[in-house]
């Protein structure tokens, strides 16, 4: 089976076709997600919270990311595979390249990093070395202590403008995908219109080019409080329906622009 490419995802944006993304951390989930039609598997460092039981993503190591990326990559067929850099493993351009090479060797197609214009030297070095890069703006879980908690970002005029400026700068520097986390829906729509690469929203309203959720949240498996922007798709399917039905419902609702609705967005 042919694997999707970053160019395919960009063409989906151009056609106005929504991109369905979910996190995946192991082979069994990755297979079910593929079967349901998910286009991008994100090996997120959220695994530190939902798999490892940490309170934040900060304790996750690059070896953890390599381990889970190889599990997902072993069974991946059609989906595009993005892996997160773990905390403090992309502090300098050289360190980022070494970490990225480990993730790519484990099977990632693209690496994801958190941050705005301060990341430009790192992004440039990765792109110059032919490493595809995904950006991540808005709520940055690796900076949760600096941000003072898991809060919606870009609510004031200056914060919103910074996110738009960063999105344009990162996309000019060569990132090919951009995750927007926990920002007002109107701001995410403006960012999406301002750049020609796909935006993938989580808590960023319905107008992003695609949507992502943490798979344990959308199955109601994570014991912590489910965020406002997530939904329990397993519960919604009703008794007796399996995990694959929940994944299929997610893909369908993303494609039909039924998810996220106003209830699962910030204004
Ligand atoms: O680590 C992760 O799962 C992520 C998503 C929240 C986008 O980065």
């Amino acid at each position: 089976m042919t694997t999707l490419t970053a160019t395919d995802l960009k063409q989906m944006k151009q056609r106005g076709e929504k991109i369905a993304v979910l996190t995946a951390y192991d082979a069994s989930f990755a297979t079910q997600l593929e079967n349901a039609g998910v286009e991008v598997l994100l090996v997120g460092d959220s695994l530190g919270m939902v798999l490892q039981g940490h309170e934040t993503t900060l304790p996750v190591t690059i070896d953890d990311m390599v381990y889970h990326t190889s599990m997902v990559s072993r069974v991946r067929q059609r989906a595009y595979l993005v892996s997160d850099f773990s905390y403090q493993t992309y502090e300098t351009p050289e360190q980022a390249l070494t970490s990225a090479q480990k993730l790519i060797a484990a099977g990632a197609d693209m690496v994801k990093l958190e941050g705005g214009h301060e990341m430009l030297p790192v992004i440039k070095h990765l792109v110059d070395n032919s490493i595809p890069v995904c950006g991540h703006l808005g709520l940055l879980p690796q900076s949760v202590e600096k941000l003072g908690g898991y809060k919606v970002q870009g609510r004031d005029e200056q914060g919103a403008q910074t996110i738009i400026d960063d999105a344009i700068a990162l996309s000019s520097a060569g990132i090919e995908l951009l995750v927007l986390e926990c920002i007002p829906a109107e701001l995410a729509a403006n960012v999406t219109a301002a750049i020609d690469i796909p935006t993938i929203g989580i808590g960023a309203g319905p107008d992003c080019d695609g949507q992502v959720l943490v798979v344990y949240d959308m199955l109601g498996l994570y014991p912590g409080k489910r965020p406002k922007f997530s939904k329990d798709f397993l519960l919604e399917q009703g008794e007796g329906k399996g995990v694959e039905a929940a994944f299929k419902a997610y893909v369908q609702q993303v494609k039909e622009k039924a998810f996220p609705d106003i209830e699962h967005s910030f204004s």
Side-chain angles (χ1 to χ4, degrees), residues 9 12 18-24 33 37-43 79-82 112 134 177-179 198-202 209-215 218 247 250-251 254-255 259:
L9 301 177
M12 287 176 75
K18 297 285 179 185
I19 304 166
V21 185
L22 282 170
T23 65
L33 292 166
V38 167
E39 277 114 3
V40 181
L41 300 172
L42 170 64
V43 185
Y80 194 66
L81 205 170
V82 181
K112 177 164 83 61
C134 174
L177 207 56
L178 177 62
V179 168
T199 59
I200 308 294
I202 173 163
D209 299 305
Q211 298 293 331
V212 59
L213 286 178
V214 171
V215 76
M218 58 81 76
F247 294 157
Y250 170 77
V251 172
V254 168
K255 298 279 173 199
F259 180 84

Side-chain angles (χ1 to χ4, degrees), residues 94-242:
E94 295 72 26
Q95 187 197 23
L97 182 58
T98 304
S99 302
Q101 283 165 339
K102 290 183 187 173
L103 295 172
I104 300 282
D109 296 316
M110 179 179 269
V111 294
K112 177 164 83 61
L113 51 78
E114 297 183 10
H117 55 276
E118 71 282 2
M119 298 313 305
L120 290 174
V122 164
I123 292 169
K124 187 173 178 328
H125 193 55
L126 294 172
V127 170
D128 285 349
N129 282 279
S130 307
I131 306 279
V133 184
C134 174
H136 185 150
L137 295 174
L139 173 58
L140 308 179
Q142 291 178 4
S143 305
V144 65
E145 283 160 12
K146 208 166 82 190
L147 297 175
Y150 294 96
K151 294 180 189 157
V152 180
Q153 302 295 307
R155 277 208 146 132
D156 59 283
E157 208 174 305
Q158 196 189 333
Q161 193 57 50
T162 302
I163 290 174
I164 294 179
D165 292 346
D166 281 347
I168 293 170
L170 263 57
S171 109
S172 304
I175 66 162
E176 293 175 85
L177 207 56
L178 177 62
V179 168
L180 296 173
E181 179 163 356
C182 283
I183 62 172
E186 300 82 350
L187 173 58
N190 290 340
V191 172
T192 300
I195 56 179
D196 63 0
I197 57 161
T199 59
I200 308 294
I202 173 163
D207 294 319
C208 295
D209 299 305
Q211 298 293 331
V212 59
L213 286 178
V214 171
V215 76
Y216 280 54
D217 279 341
M218 58 81 76
L219 292 176
L221 293 179
Y222 184 54
K225 189 172 175 285
R226 195 176 56 251
K228 167 189 160 71
F229 56 76
S230 192
K231 180 164 84 163
D232 188 339
F233 283 80
L234 191 58
L235 189 69
E236 191 184 63
Q237 295 317 294
E239 227 168 281
K241 292 277 171 62

